[in-house]
Amino acid sequence: ADMATARLSGSENRLVSLPLSRIRVIMKSSPEVSSINQDALFLTAKATELFVQYLATYSYKHGRGKEKNALTYTDLSHTAEECETFQFLADILPKKILASKYLKMLEKEKRDGEVREDNDEGEEEEDEDEA
């Protein structure tokens, strides 16, 4: 009854910070979802909010942000990389690297690819060097 009351009084917005219309759009983008119950929408929004809060708090406590009294992208990406709970976010929160470093990595991959095509035996040696 509480959620129905909140919905009727319009105070729902105070219970969740995320825009419900956006969450509805994201939920509907899934092919398995045909209709969305208002309570399911509200609970998904609240769960998402709590998850983001947990991620931010964990990242702040375990990152360098505490020293600067700030939460940084590096703190978040470090959490995604190091903490098992958040590893599913690793692709979404990749470690930042300089463009020059990235270009060098691409160049190396291209060179390694050419070498491997010519000489398959060299593959094992190169892997040992990287480790």
Side-chain angles (χ1 to χ4, degrees):
D2 285 339
M3 275 190 248
T5 310
R7 192 164 57 245
L8 292 172
S9 68
S11 66
E12 188 179 68
N13 294 333
R14 285 194 295 270
L15 298 173
V16 267
S17 301
L18 297 171
L20 296 182
S21 57
R22 287 288 179 95
I23 292 187
R24 183 189 303 279
V25 168
I26 294 167
M27 289 171 79
K28 281 199 166 193
S29 71
S30 176
E32 299 90 41
V33 176
S34 54
S35 66
I36 298 161
N37 173 307
Q38 192 66 22
D39 288 344
L41 175 64
F42 175 82
L43 291 171
T44 301
K46 194 65 187 170
T48 304
E49 213 170 272
L50 292 170
F51 172 77
V52 170
Q53 190 176 10
Y54 178 57
L55 170 64
T57 304
Y58 185 96
S59 299
Y60 179 80
K61 285 181 180 169
H62 294 85
R64 286 211 195 128
K66 256 195 312 194
E67 301 162 13
K68 302 174 188 169
N69 206 21
L71 176 63
T72 65
Y73 178 87
T74 307
D75 295 335
L76 293 167
S77 67
H78 183 75
T79 296
E81 190 181 22
E82 300 297 322
C83 178
E84 202 175 320
T85 307
F86 297 108
Q87 276 179 352
F88 74 99
L89 295 173
D91 291 344
I92 298 166
L93 292 167
K95 252 179 152 174
K96 276 188 178 179
I97 62 168
L98 293 171
S100 56
K101 213 174 192 181
Y102 180 69
L103 292 172
K104 281 180 186 168
M105 279 170 48
L106 286 179
E107 197 56 45
K108 185 182 183 328
E109 279 177 24
K110 190 178 171 192
R111 280 198 313 270
D112 289 354
E114 288 167 4
V115 170
R116 286 190 176 125
E117 284 170 20
D118 299 339
N119 180 9
D120 287 338
E121 291 167 18
E123 195 173 333
E124 287 170 20
E125 291 169 19
E126 287 170 19
D127 287 348
E128 284 173 22
D129 290 348
E130 289 172 16

